[in-house]
């Protein structure tokens, strides 16, 4: 088995992420300390995005130290690994670009141990019996599994509605942090999420379990108010700096 790595990826072990990154809010210990799911969601949502990376960096430094032997094995295997543009790890990558990370539950060990071979490059095309990379390298293959990541939400709008609507809404997700795949200017909140967009009656909802629980309430209240004919003034719609 061979994996083609197309770009650098951030990997964090699930156990380390749960214990160091999420344990104080989402764990049996947190529940025992009186932190309910609702309270944990509110605490998480209360931290401004502008300074969130400052709180995340020391957590991922702890994870890097805890699992240093694992990362040394990945490096030795030739895996390209990173901790995000500023060392803030998985959660900021998730908020900024929604890609470029993997929560490891065992598969990364197969790469680190050499049980899954690793090749770097970009896939150019397939033949009946192989994968051909951009540099001409040909990898014999009986089966090819595409693992290309998530598609953008406004990309789905272009597919399901039309490109004009997608461009009218502009980029969905991201903070405008001016980091990789999250171009500025700074927005301060998730672009076009859980709020009115420049396309009337088109709303976006998504995210992890925390966001789905917490922000679905605010989205539902906005929709209910409109349904009942209550005044629903909007401070401003998101500017379209980046079409889809």
């Amino acid at each position: 088995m061979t994996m083609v790595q197309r770009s650098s990826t951030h990997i964090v072990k699930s156990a380390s992420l749960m214990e160091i990154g999420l344990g104080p809010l989402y764990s049996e210990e947190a529940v025992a300390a009186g932190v309910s799911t609702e309270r944990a969601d509110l605490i998480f949502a209360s931290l401004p995005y502008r300074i969130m990376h400052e709180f995340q960096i020391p957590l991922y430094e702890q994870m890097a130290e805890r699992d240093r032997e694992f990362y040394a094995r990945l490096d030795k295997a030739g895996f390209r690994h990173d901790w995000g543009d500023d060392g803030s790890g998985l959660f900021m990558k998730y908020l900024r670009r929604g890609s470029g990370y993997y929560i490891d539950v065992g598969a990364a060990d197969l790469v680190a141990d050499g049980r899954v071979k690793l090749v770097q490059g970009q896939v150019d095309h397939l033949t009946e019996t192989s994968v051909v990379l951009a540099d001409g390298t040909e990898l014999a293959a009986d089966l090819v599994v595409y693992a290309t990541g998530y598609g953008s939400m406004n990309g789905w709008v272009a597919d399901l509605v039309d490109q004009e609507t997608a461009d009218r809404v502009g980029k969905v997700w991201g903070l405008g942090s001016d980091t990789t795949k999250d171009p500025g200017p700074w927005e301060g909140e998730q672009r076009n999420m859980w709020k009115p967009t420049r396309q009337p009656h088109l709303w976006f909802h998504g995210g992890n379990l925390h966001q789905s629980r917490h922000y679905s309430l605010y989205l539902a209240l906005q929709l209910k108010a409109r349904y009942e004919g209550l005044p629903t003034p909007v401070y401003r719609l998101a500017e379209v700096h980046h079409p889809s």
Side-chain angles (χ1 to χ4, degrees):
M1 183 180 295
T2 300
M3 183 176 77
V4 178
Q5 186 181 21
R6 297 176 298 138
S7 60
S8 178
T9 304
H10 168 55
I11 291 182
V12 62
K13 284 189 167 293
S14 178
S16 298
L17 178 64
M18 293 305 299
E19 181 177 330
I20 298 174
L22 298 173
L25 292 179
Y26 301 101
S27 65
E28 294 296 332
E29 291 75 17
V31 173
V35 182
S36 65
T37 300
E38 292 75 15
R39 185 177 182 185
D41 286 347
L42 185 60
I43 292 171
F44 214 137
S46 68
L47 186 61
Y49 288 134
R50 174 62 86 177
I51 60 174
M52 185 175 287
H53 66 284
E54 298 176 12
F55 293 83
Q56 295 292 308
I57 290 171
L59 300 180
Y60 287 91
E61 289 175 343
Q62 292 180 52
M63 295 181 215
E65 175 60 25
R66 168 174 164 158
D67 298 320
R68 61 186 181 278
E69 293 181 2
F70 164 71
Y71 292 112
R73 289 164 47 224
L74 272 182
D75 289 339
K76 187 176 180 180
F79 190 90
R80 287 188 288 163
H81 179 266
D82 69 81
W83 294 91
D85 288 15
D86 52 7
S88 56
L90 184 147
F91 198 65
M92 294 310 301
K93 268 198 168 188
Y94 163 74
L95 291 171
R96 291 166 171 169
R97 54 185 279 191
S99 65
Y101 54 85
Y102 169 64
I103 301 174
D104 178 48
V105 291
D109 278 313
L110 301 178
V111 176
D113 294 344
R115 285 175 283 173
V116 171
K117 297 180 178 63
L118 186 66
V119 174
Q120 304 286 349
Q122 302 296 321
V123 175
D124 185 78
H125 65 277
L126 304 181
T127 72
E128 291 184 358
T129 59
S130 67
V131 175
V132 181
L133 304 185
D135 64 2
T137 301
E138 189 167 356
L139 307 173
D142 298 317
L143 174 69
V144 177
V145 177
Y146 287 88
T148 55
Y150 302 104
S152 67
M153 293 193 208
N154 41 356
W156 282 108
V157 173
D159 291 341
L160 297 174
V161 185
D162 55 46
Q163 188 64 50
E164 181 182 358
T165 302
D167 288 341
R168 184 179 302 116
V169 172
K171 193 171 180 63
V172 179
W173 202 258
L175 305 172
S177 63
D178 206 24
T179 57
T180 302
K181 296 189 177 182
D182 185 29
W186 177 254
E187 180 71 20
E189 56 187 14
Q190 299 279 186
R191 294 186 187 96
N192 285 310
M193 292 297 297
W194 313 295
K195 59 185 179 181
T197 69
R198 290 188 178 273
Q199 174 59 51
H201 312 302
L202 178 62
W203 302 68
F204 292 87
H205 177 62
N208 58 21
L209 289 176
H210 155 250
Q211 292 169 309
S212 296
R213 282 191 303 263
H214 189 74
Y215 293 107
S216 61
L217 172 62
Y218 305 128
L219 176 56
L221 287 172
Q222 292 176 83
L223 296 179
K224 177 64 172 177
R226 284 160 173 76
Y227 180 78
E228 297 295 343
L230 298 176
T232 53
V234 176
Y235 168 62
R236 71 174 178 88
L237 296 175
E239 297 294 335
V240 181
H241 301 288
H242 312 284
S244 65

